[in-house]
């Protein structure tokens, strides 16, 4: 399968290497992309582990798991990255509603590893309601990882 992060590279040659700790992200953008991919495959442990040490104190794997499970992660768009920040939009479906979360996230190196610290959310909108017979919303996002052109939602990402 293609990597959920939208790189157009296979998952096992992209974020899976980070999620399985065969390799470690060397930039905030790589970490951000791999955290999105972890949401997409619902690997809450990786998301938890890649928070900063202080942030982990107020997070729980089970809370992350329920949020990841509830959502269908459609696509990631990176708007801008710097040496410590990444601004992105994540598109997902929850309760048959397509949503966009746009955030500028802050990252820091802790003991040689990039960690997610926090972020400023500039947009958190419902974009559209979706029915099972509608064309899958992933068709609207060129970086969608599971896109099957022109398929109905029920035959595409809803499965
Ligand atoms: Zn990736
Ligand atoms: Zn789809």
């Amino acid at each position: 399968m293609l990597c959920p992060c939208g790189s157009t590279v296979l998952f096992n040659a992209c974020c899976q290497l980070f999620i399985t700790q065969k390799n470690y992200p060397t930039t905030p953008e790589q970490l951000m992309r791999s955290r999105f991919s972890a949401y997409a495959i619902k690997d809450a442990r990786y998301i938890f582990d890649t928070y900063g040490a202080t942030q982990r104190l107020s997070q729980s794997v089970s809370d992350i798991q329920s949020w990841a499970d509830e959502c269908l992660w459609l696509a990631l768009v990176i708007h801008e990255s710097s040496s410590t920040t990444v601004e992105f939009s994540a598109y997902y479906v929850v309760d048959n509603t397509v949503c966009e979360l746009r955030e500028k996230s802050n990252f820091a190196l802790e003991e040689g590893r990039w960690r997610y610290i926090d972020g400023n959310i500039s947009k958190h909108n419902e974009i559209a309601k979706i029915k099972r017979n509608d064309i899958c919303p992933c068709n609207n996002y060129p970086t969608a990882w599971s896109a099957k052109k022109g398929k109905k939602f029920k035959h595409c990402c809803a499965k």
Side-chain angles (χ1 to χ4, degrees):
M1 78 181 199
L2 286 180
C3 192
C5 82
S7 60
T8 70
V9 173
L10 289 177
F11 182 49
N12 64 16
C14 192
C15 294
Q16 192 178 42
L17 297 169
F18 303 133
I19 294 170
T20 57
Q21 297 185 50
K22 288 199 175 73
N23 213 333
Y24 296 94
T26 55
T27 63
E29 184 176 324
Q30 282 182 340
L31 179 64
M32 197 277 128
R33 285 175 172 278
S34 66
R35 282 170 55 90
F36 178 86
S37 294
Y39 273 112
I41 65 157
K42 307 186 190 303
D43 186 328
R45 168 54 62 177
Y46 180 77
I47 296 158
F48 178 84
D49 287 346
T50 52
Y51 272 103
T54 308
Q55 288 69 35
R56 282 199 294 277
L57 299 174
S58 55
Q59 294 288 337
S60 82
V61 176
S62 60
D63 284 356
I64 298 169
Q65 192 71 60
S66 11
W67 162 238
D69 287 349
E70 219 179 298
C71 302
L72 194 80
W73 299 88
L74 284 180
L76 174 70
V77 174
I78 304 278
H79 300 294
E80 197 172 28
S81 16
S82 78
S83 56
T84 54
T85 64
V86 181
E87 186 164 8
F88 66 91
S89 290
Y91 296 91
Y92 63 93
V93 178
V94 66
D95 294 333
N96 297 313
T97 307
V98 182
C99 301
E100 175 185 2
L101 171 70
R102 181 168 177 151
E103 179 183 305
K104 187 170 185 178
S105 306
N106 299 304
F107 297 84
L109 271 176
E110 291 183 357
E111 293 169 354
R113 303 269 187 257
W114 282 106
R115 298 293 185 228
Y116 171 73
I117 304 302
D118 57 16
N120 299 315
I121 295 172
S122 58
K123 209 192 252 185
H124 202 173
N125 294 346
E126 297 186 353
I127 294 176
K129 287 281 179 194
I130 174 92
K131 297 193 192 77
R132 292 182 57 78
N133 282 317
D134 291 345
I135 296 297
C136 189
C138 73
N139 280 269
N140 298 330
Y141 305 105
T143 56
W145 54 294
S146 56
K148 297 180 191 72
K149 285 262 171 289
K151 288 258 191 188
K152 290 179 176 178
F153 185 46
K154 66 180 179 187
H155 295 310
C156 190
C157 295
K159 285 211 289 190

